[in-house]
Amino acid sequence: MILHNKNLLNNLALVEEAETLESGGFISKEQKKIIKNVLPAFRSQSNILVRLGFFLLGSFLYSSICGAISLIGLSGEDFYFKICCYLFAGVGIAGAELLGNQNYYRHGLDDAFILGIPLNIGFAVAISTEGQEISIAVFVAIASFLTYRRYLHPLSMLVFCFASTAVLFYGMFEIGDIGKTILPFVTMLVSAGFYFLTKGKIKNLTEVYFRDGLILANSFCLILFYLSCNYLVVRELSFELLGVDVLPGEDIPFAFFFYAFTFIVPIVYLVQALRTRDRIMLWISFAAIGFSIFTIRFYYSVLPIEVALTLGGLVMFAIAYLSIQKLKNKEEGLTFKPDRINNSNAILNAEALIVASTFGMKPEVKTDSPMDFGGGGFSGGGSGESF
């Protein structure tokens, strides 16, 4: 099923691990270079800007090929319009297969053709079914999952997550008002189930090249679980889907549950992230806490915005200060010690700049002396035959 050579995929994982160890100071640059030279590798791009440039180039190439096909097929009129997106999806498959066989992986060119496959299949199904949303979502979900399995493309996994969520939503809409009413609870249960499923897959994973896609799906489930019963989301969807217009002084049904969910879940995320040292969950918890505060301020503006921001800053400063005081002497577990694996030259340079500006330190400038000793050329600055 996987197009790419598994030995090259394992080599890529080893090279990435070597780069991590080199950034943490465990191995030298020479050792990392030896590892990269010894192991055969893909044609890939680690620089995100370069990869984005190749993606744009690949998109132009893809659209040019599709445009050439359209010029030939325009004579078919309505028939060609019905099948053109299927042909464009075929172009994406052919391009992805060709680039994959030439060992292009996470390069940018291959991204354009791989993402074009589920996109064009979605358009094709929309034309064939006259815009049936659930059919479009089902076929996009299937196509994106197959492209992920075939090309190990993490962005295809992200498309699969969104398409699967759309399938769930449109499936509940088909039930009627009952489905729309229980949609938040069903979404919460489904996202929780898939979170533990992907968590178990990651824990027992033997093929490391599936790790990125599973982590992406796992993180998506965390976000979806929080948003499923967030008070702001539920209240606005109740108005859009059911036409429930809440009057001043009233609230939506089960409001107490949604209020509690909005504030308890981010705290649970934060505690769990600190306990397991999960960096991704930690960032998600911070974003969820911020969105929870926004949710309440959206409906209840207790304080002026400038006062709220000032108090929030003071609270955050107090939490940070107390945390530093508690953790600064710990040597293991959750500590305030610098992380060797994730150190940053930019942070180190910033620290040096701050120290220099604080103490008035200036870089040492080396100047050559105008006095040429030993040549006798500067008023007896040295012994010579001309003195």
Side-chain angles (χ1 to χ4, degrees), residues 51 55 99 105-116 153 155:
R51 186 174 176 182
F55 173 77
L99 292 170
Y105 180 62
R106 298 182 182 178
H107 181 271
L109 288 176
D110 56 331
D111 295 328
F113 286 91
I114 293 171
L115 289 176
H153 193 244
L155 288 179

Side-chain angles (χ1 to χ4, degrees), residues 38-355:
V38 169
L39 297 175
F42 287 107
R43 298 178 181 177
S44 59
Q45 286 293 337
S46 57
N47 188 308
I48 188 64
L49 294 178
V50 176
R51 186 174 176 182
L52 180 60
F54 277 113
F55 173 77
L56 295 175
L57 182 63
S59 300
F60 288 136
L61 177 60
Y62 194 169
S63 59
S64 299
I65 296 172
C66 295
I69 295 174
S70 298
L71 290 176
I72 299 173
L74 281 177
S75 57
E77 297 180 353
D78 292 342
F79 176 73
Y80 173 75
F81 179 72
K82 293 179 181 179
I83 66 168
C84 64
C85 289
Y86 292 104
L87 296 177
F88 298 160
V91 172
I93 294 173
E97 291 287 324
L98 178 62
L99 292 170
N101 286 321
Q102 294 180 359
N103 292 332
Y104 283 88
Y105 180 62
R106 298 182 182 178
H107 181 271
L109 288 176
D110 56 331
D111 295 328
F113 286 91
I114 293 171
L115 289 176
I117 298 171
L119 177 65
N120 283 292
I121 287 178
F123 284 125
V125 174
I127 295 171
S128 301
T129 60
E130 296 182 352
Q132 288 186 2
E133 291 90 351
I134 190 168
S135 299
I136 298 169
V138 168
F139 278 95
V140 170
I142 294 173
S144 56
F145 181 75
L146 292 177
T147 52
Y148 169 72
R149 289 285 300 178
R150 178 65 173 168
Y151 308 111
L152 297 176
H153 193 244
L155 288 179
S156 295
M157 175 58 78
L158 184 61
V159 175
F160 169 73
C161 292
F162 279 110
S164 300
T165 305
V167 172
L168 175 64
F169 277 43
Y170 288 123
M172 298 301 295
F173 294 166
E174 293 291 328
I175 299 176
D177 288 344
I178 297 177
K180 296 176 182 179
T181 303
I182 63 174
L183 177 61
F185 305 101
V186 174
T187 305
M188 177 184 67
L189 294 176
V190 170
S191 58
F194 275 99
Y195 169 77
F196 289 110
L197 177 64
T198 53
K199 195 72 174 177
K201 291 285 187 181
I202 294 171
K203 187 176 181 180
N204 302 318
L205 192 63
T206 56
E207 298 171 315
V208 294
Y209 33 81
F210 286 116
R211 184 176 180 83
D212 290 344
L214 289 174
I215 290 176
L216 184 60
N218 186 260
S219 304
F220 183 88
C221 291
L222 281 175
I223 297 172
L224 183 62
F225 179 81
Y226 169 71
L227 292 178
S228 62
C229 291
N230 175 270
Y231 180 82
L232 172 64
V233 175
V234 173
R235 180 166 175 168
E236 294 302 313
L237 284 180
S238 298
F239 175 74
E240 293 293 334
L241 300 178
L242 298 173
V244 178
D245 192 6
V246 181
L247 299 175
E250 297 182 357
D251 222 329
I252 59 174
F254 304 105
F256 179 77
F257 170 79
F258 296 124
Y259 277 128
F261 189 93
T262 300
F263 284 97
I264 292 175
V265 170
I267 296 174
V268 172
Y269 282 3
L270 179 61
V271 173
Q272 180 68 9
L274 295 175
R275 189 178 69 84
T276 59
R277 295 189 290 276
D278 188 336
R279 195 181 300 270
I280 297 177
M281 183 183 282
L282 183 64
W283 287 114
I284 292 175
S285 69
F286 289 157
I289 291 172
F291 193 74
S292 297
I293 296 172
F294 172 78
T295 297
I296 297 304
R297 285 197 57 83
F298 189 81
Y299 297 106
Y300 308 102
S301 212
V302 180
L303 296 172
I305 186 64
E306 59 275 8
V307 177
L309 288 174
T310 302
L311 293 177
L314 291 174
V315 171
M316 292 179 66
F317 175 80
I319 294 173
Y321 178 78
L322 294 175
S323 301
I324 292 171
Q325 294 300 316
K326 184 176 179 60
L327 301 175
K328 67 180 181 180
N329 294 322
K330 290 188 65 177
E331 296 290 340
E332 59 183 15
L334 185 64
T335 73
F336 193 64
K337 302 292 183 182
D339 191 350
R340 292 184 66 185
I341 295 297
N342 291 283
N343 67 347
S344 172
N345 290 332
I347 294 176
L348 296 177
N349 293 336
E351 289 177 352
L353 182 61
I354 292 170
V355 171

